[in-house]
Every structure is written in structure tokens, then in C-alpha cells.
Amino acid sequence: MAEASVTGVCGEAMAAMAAVEGSSSPAGLTLGRSFSNYRPLEPPGAARSRRRPLGPSPTFPALGIGMDSCVIPLRRGGLSLVQTTDCFYRLVEDPYMMGRTASANVLSDLYAMGITECDMLMLLSVSQSMSEEEREKVTPLMVKGFRDSTEEGGTAVTCGQTMVNPWLIIGRVATVVCQPNEFITPDSAVVGDVLVLTKPLGTQVAVSAHQWLDNPERWNKVKMVVSREQVELAYQEAMLNMATLNRTAAGLMHTFNAHAATDITGFGILGHSQNLEKQQRKEVSFVIHNLPIIAKMAAVSKASGRFGLLQGTSAETSGELLICLPREQAARFCSEIISSKYGEGHQAWILSIVEKGIIEVLSRGATAAALAPDNSNVSSEPCS
């Protein structure tokens, strides 16, 4: 869209130049001479820079598409701008929890780089189809949930943008300026490392199954493997997980010398693992042994013929961090994150090893250790 706009303006400028040339243009001024070297969207001096060798800076990594945040080296002071943005449609029925989830979802992009503090902008779109009464009730609850989560994350909403739209949307922009030692670039995994997951998988399945309770056609496909009560429990577990910040894990990434991390969202755990593997400076791959999954959601995924939860392709919202840690630090990380010093604490699982070769998901029957007691509505499922 940006290029189309510039091209259009450029076309108008050329037409204006042609009109001038047709009347009283200065001698020797021609379109060919004026625009032959023009390149849309190219800043001054870029022609000289094209002669330089291409490639990532030796100091700053070139984070590819599919990674969590952008890292932009600033011109002065050795600082970097780290930034991310995201938004989504109505996912859960509770407006307050939707606001909390939207906040936690975007913060996880920075948490995946070990960043625990940032500045926030809120993006809010109110649906045109909502009545005035619905707007007055729903919007303040969404904003409150958003603000509560932001404050829990140690920051605040400083500004934002509100609009009317066909859809109800909420999101945010998270920005921080920091020194190189304040963030962890996702590129330093080595053979022998292990990967730790900070939340169970299955949020998309749980939310969908909850919606199917009122859809007989869909419910009939899964009712033999799960009860309505179990779906309600899974839905509550999913909402709590989506609204839970990964901030504690982000801080512990520095304590336990994390080598890389990503958060698991739209690409599923397999897609995000593949993206993370491609980002590494050394030739490594991640072999996934075990998937912690919200109870009964693996069975629902299989019975419905959707999602691919056990294959690692099911999308997550405000998902877990997948953290690459030195082998000797992983058990201590899992023990520390569940500690009561961080509030309620929560479980983490070791589920992958870092090897040399091609990324794969092991067949059903492989197992991996969970290094903390299981006190949640979660089952550990082998991959298939």
C-alpha cells in the first residue's frame, strides 16, 4: 500500500513536470534526466550504501519474520529500540479477561527476549454492530482488564488509539529502549541445551470446545471423549493461562543464562520451534519429546479432526515461552519459577533437547520429565 501511494504521488509529480516542460521549463530539464535514477522509498545516500556488503551487523542480530520483536540499533549511545505490536478479535466471553489477555499476549513478545519493562500504547476498536448499552458495559471492562495486566507487568498505558470498526478488536504496541545487555537475542542455542515450556498447550482447543457446547453439530463429534464439566474446567484453565504474564520467566532467563527463547502463538509450537531453530548461529535443531496439554484437549483435538494439537500445529493465544537453557540450569529454572516468592508460581516443563540435524517431533511413546509437581488441570502427552 505504501509503494502504491508513493507511485501515485510520483505519477502526479511527473505529470506536473511534463506540463511545465511543455510551457516554460528551464533549458535542458527533462524527465529522463530528472527521474532516471529515482527509486521509490529510497533515502538519500542509499545508492552508496548498496555498494556495501549485505548481511547482519556484527553487533546486532537480524531477526527474521516470524520472530517476536524487532530490534533497531539507534544512532547514538549504543542503545537499541525493541518493539512489538499485536491485536486480536473477541476470543473469550468475559470482556475483562479479554483485556488482560490482549495485554499479556503482546508483552510476551518482549518477555521472550528477557525484557521485563516497557512503555505501552493501547489499540482499541469498538464494533459498529454493538449497541450503545453494549459499548458502555463492554468497553470499560476491556480497558480495565488491559490496564490491570499492564500494571501487573510493571508499566502503564501512556497513550493509544480508539476507532469504530466492523469488529471488536483490542491490542497494544510495546516499546523499550535498552542496552545490549538488557535483552537476550534468540540466536545462541548450542547442542546439549534443553527447551523449557512455561505454560501448557491447548488454549485454542479449549476455547473452541467451549463454543461448541452451544453447537450440536460440533459437540456431537467430541462428546464421547469429554464431558461438559471437563470442557468448562479446560476453558477456565485456558483463560487463566492466557491472562497470566510470562514476566517471571523473562527475569529468570537472565538468572539462568538462557540462550534463546520465543513465545508460542499463531504458528503453534512446531512452527515457532522451527522459526527459532532457523535463527540460531550454530547448526542445531530441537527434538520435541513431550507436550504438556490442558486436560482432555488432546482427545478433543483428535476427535474433532481439527487443530493438530499433538502434531504441534495448533495455534495458541498469549501462549507460553519456549526457552533454551543450558542443561545444568534447566532443573533449577523449573524449581525457581514455581516458588512462592513469585506469587502463586506456576509449573514449567522440559520438553525438548537441542541436537544437531533436522527438527522433528518424536513419535507417540516418547517421554520427557516434568521437573515440578503437577498441581494443575494439565496432562503430559507424548507427541504424534
Side-chain angles (χ1 to χ4, degrees), residues 50-177:
R50 288 198 304 274
R51 303 190 189 103
R52 300 170 187 163
L54 298 177
S57 160
T59 305
F60 298 95
L63 300 186
I65 293 175
M67 298 311 294
D68 303 298
S69 302
C70 67
V71 179
I72 305 171
L74 301 181
R75 292 185 177 89
R76 298 177 180 84
L79 300 172
S80 292
L81 174 71
V82 185
Q83 189 172 60
T84 185
T85 184
D86 203 357
C87 58
F88 56 89
Y89 307 102
R90 184 182 70 85
L91 181 68
V92 296
E93 296 173 356
D94 186 331
Y96 176 81
M97 294 301 288
M98 181 174 173
R100 288 194 68 101
T101 299
S103 171
N105 185 62
V106 179
L107 282 172
S108 278
D109 288 342
L110 295 183
Y111 292 156
M113 300 190 70
I115 294 170
T116 58
E117 297 179 354
C118 65
D119 294 308
M120 305 295 304
L121 303 178
M122 183 171 67
L123 307 174
L124 178 63
S125 172
V126 180
S127 173
Q128 295 169 338
S129 62
M130 295 172 68
S131 67
E132 190 66 28
E133 181 181 5
E134 288 173 331
R135 292 181 189 180
E136 290 178 356
K137 289 182 177 179
V138 171
T139 305
L141 287 171
M142 288 173 57
V143 172
K144 177 173 172 51
F146 193 95
R147 288 186 179 277
D148 286 353
S149 174
T150 300
E151 292 174 5
E152 184 180 316
T155 184
V157 179
T158 57
C159 190
Q161 177 67 39
T162 305
M163 66 202 83
V164 178
N165 190 280
W167 308 280
L168 181 65
I169 302 173
I170 187 167
R172 70 194 301 174
V173 180
T175 304
V176 62
V177 175

Side-chain angles (χ1 to χ4, degrees), residues 191-218:
V191 173
D193 284 350
V194 297
L195 283 139
V196 172
L197 198 68
T198 62
K199 298 180 187 179
L201 303 167
T203 56
Q204 182 188 45
V205 183
V207 170
S208 297
H210 190 259
Q211 294 171 348
W212 295 347
L213 293 176
D214 298 321
N215 185 327
E217 181 181 356
R218 294 281 175 84

Side-chain angles (χ1 to χ4, degrees), residues 17 50 83 102 111 122 125 161 166 187 194 222 237 311 322 371 373-374:
M17 288 288 290
R50 288 198 304 274
Q83 189 172 60
Y111 292 156
M122 183 171 67
S125 172
Q161 177 67 39
D187 60 1
V194 297
V222 301
E237 176 83 7
Q311 290 72 40
L322 183 68
L371 296 181
D374 187 356

Side-chain angles (χ1 to χ4, degrees), residues 197-207 209 225-226 230 233-238 241 264 268-270 288-303 306-316 320 347-351 361-362 364-366 368-370 374-384:
L197 198 68
T198 62
K199 298 180 187 179
L201 303 167
T203 56
Q204 182 188 45
V205 183
V207 170
V225 299
V226 67
Q230 289 168 331
L233 282 174
Y235 177 69
Q236 294 300 321
E237 176 83 7
N241 290 341
I264 309 303
I269 190 168
L270 182 60
I288 301 175
H289 288 285
N290 196 57
L291 299 178
I293 293 173
I294 297 173
K296 294 295 182 178
M297 292 304 101
V300 170
S301 175
K302 186 176 180 179
R306 295 168 174 262
F307 310 113
L309 184 55
L310 287 177
Q311 290 72 40
T313 57
S314 183
E316 304 290 329
E320 40 287 303
Q347 185 173 355
W349 294 262
I350 283 182
L351 52 83
V361 178
L362 295 186
R364 174 170 287 277
D374 187 356
N375 298 318
S376 62
N377 182 39
V378 176
S379 62
S380 292
E381 299 285 347
C383 307
S384 64

